[in-house]
Amino acid sequence: MGRKTFKKSIDFVRASSHKIQSDYNASASRTLHLTALSGLGNILMGLFKIASGVLAFSIFTCVNGCYTLGMVLARYCALAGVVRTKDISRQYRYYRWSGIILIVASCLYIAYSIRMYFHPTYTTYHPYIAMGIATVTFVEIGLNLRGVLVFRKNRSPLLHALKTINLATSLISLVLTQAAILSFADEVQNPASNGILGALMGGCAVLLGVYMLLRMRRITNTADCRREQKALNRMMKKHFPNYALTAVEKGFTEQGQEIVSVYFLTGIEPEVWEQICGEAERRCRLQLRDIEG
């Protein structure tokens, strides 16, 4: 029974890997595979923290372990959407759940940080180790911030979700970075400052989760075409200054292509309409539909 279960798990992992490679480009595929692999290590770390907390009768160590597992769950929720469906509406549901899990996990970390402020602990690090932690943390923040901005306009919302979750995790890592640097930089340590920074970074992570939910609410609101209207206005002003259009409604195909229904304030020739549709798809990644046509 156990051998069959293990074999099924291996087959599932292989099938998921092949699906990711076939559905996404090399860069996105690499990001998704690394996320899956790093999640396994984080699961073991989270379980170790919880076990340590149980043995030491420390509820706050258990909370820290639950935070680690919560961040893994948020990532795997997004990965599950990547593997299970290409239907954009279903991917949006996975995106929302990832944001909700991020908020809950970050609230747990804020509670842990408040406790750390009132009951500080002293930890020492070798200077080389501390500088290594700081270097890795700041590089991660830079890469993940870039990823959030790059994938903001990507047709797959779950890639943006993964980058946002990774950015939240990197911000939390700043607490460890501060603790490591202060352990050898200051002769008199004030470990309570780690609790303050932890609460602040946990708050930032909560805001990232809220941002994910608000972003998804705006995207799925078919009547909210403000972003699309701005993009079309810039395109029309530059390439078709003699024409003006208004975005009325938007929708999505199963493949994630955004369709915007528009109407023109003046008459338009069929040849010009074809040119506008081509420019909109090439420059704005929007598929236009004339509601009067």
Side-chain angles (χ1 to χ4, degrees), residues 103-179:
I103 292 173
V104 173
S106 300
C107 287
L108 284 175
Y109 192 83
I110 291 174
Y112 173 80
S113 298
I114 293 173
R115 184 264 178 187
M116 189 162 53
Y117 174 78
F118 290 105
H119 303 280
T121 57
Y122 293 84
T123 307
T124 58
Y125 295 87
H126 190 278
Y128 290 143
I129 295 177
M131 294 307 297
I133 292 173
T135 301
V136 171
T137 299
F138 286 116
V139 169
E140 280 187 345
I141 290 175
L143 292 176
N144 290 325
L145 182 58
R146 176 184 178 276
V148 170
L149 297 175
V150 169
F151 285 98
R152 181 169 55 93
K153 296 183 179 180
N154 192 278
R155 294 181 182 177
S156 176
L158 296 177
L159 289 173
H160 180 269
L162 288 172
K163 292 297 182 179
T164 305
I165 294 167
N166 289 340
L167 177 59
T169 305
S170 299
L171 291 177
I172 297 298
S173 298
L174 282 174
V175 182
L176 177 60
T177 301
Q178 175 179 269

Side-chain angles (χ1 to χ4, degrees), residues 10-223:
I10 295 297
D11 292 340
F12 173 76
V13 170
R14 287 177 178 173
S16 300
S17 178
H18 289 316
K19 180 174 175 57
I20 289 173
Q21 290 175 353
S22 62
D23 291 346
Y24 294 89
N25 59 35
S27 177
S29 176
R30 184 168 55 253
T31 297
L32 295 171
H33 279 89
L34 288 175
T35 299
L37 290 174
S38 64
L40 296 176
N42 289 329
I43 288 175
L44 295 176
M45 179 62 71
L47 293 176
F48 175 76
K49 289 178 180 178
I50 293 175
S52 300
V54 172
L55 294 175
F57 301 101
S58 173
I59 186 173
F60 292 101
T61 304
C62 293
V63 169
N64 188 275
C66 289
Y67 164 77
T68 302
L69 293 180
M71 299 303 283
V72 175
L73 180 60
R75 290 194 186 99
Y76 277 7
C77 181
L79 278 175
V82 169
V83 173
R84 290 184 178 181
T85 180
K86 289 199 71 176
D87 185 337
I88 197 70
S89 61
R90 293 183 62 187
Q91 287 196 357
Y92 285 156
R93 288 199 289 270
Y94 284 100
Y95 187 101
R96 287 193 187 93
W97 276 110
S98 296
I100 292 171
I101 296 170
L102 172 59
I103 292 173
V104 173
S106 300
C107 287
L108 284 175
Y109 192 83
I110 291 174
Y112 173 80
S113 298
I114 293 173
R115 184 264 178 187
M116 189 162 53
Y117 174 78
F118 290 105
H119 303 280
T121 57
Y122 293 84
T123 307
T124 58
Y125 295 87
H126 190 278
Y128 290 143
I129 295 177
M131 294 307 297
I133 292 173
T135 301
V136 171
T137 299
F138 286 116
V139 169
E140 280 187 345
I141 290 175
L143 292 176
N144 290 325
L145 182 58
R146 176 184 178 276
V148 170
L149 297 175
V150 169
F151 285 98
R152 181 169 55 93
K153 296 183 179 180
N154 192 278
R155 294 181 182 177
S156 176
L158 296 177
L159 289 173
H160 180 269
L162 288 172
K163 292 297 182 179
T164 305
I165 294 167
N166 289 340
L167 177 59
T169 305
S170 299
L171 291 177
I172 297 298
S173 298
L174 282 174
V175 182
L176 177 60
T177 301
Q178 175 179 269
I181 293 177
L182 291 181
S183 68
F184 74 88
D186 288 348
E187 295 182 359
V188 180
Q189 294 188 43
N190 181 19
S193 61
N194 296 329
I196 297 175
L197 183 62
L200 290 175
M201 293 300 100
C204 291
V206 169
L207 291 177
L208 285 174
V210 172
Y211 159 72
M212 289 175 64
L213 298 182
L214 293 177
R215 178 175 183 268
M216 194 48 50
R217 181 181 179 182
R218 178 184 60 78
I219 290 176
T220 54
N221 182 3
T222 58

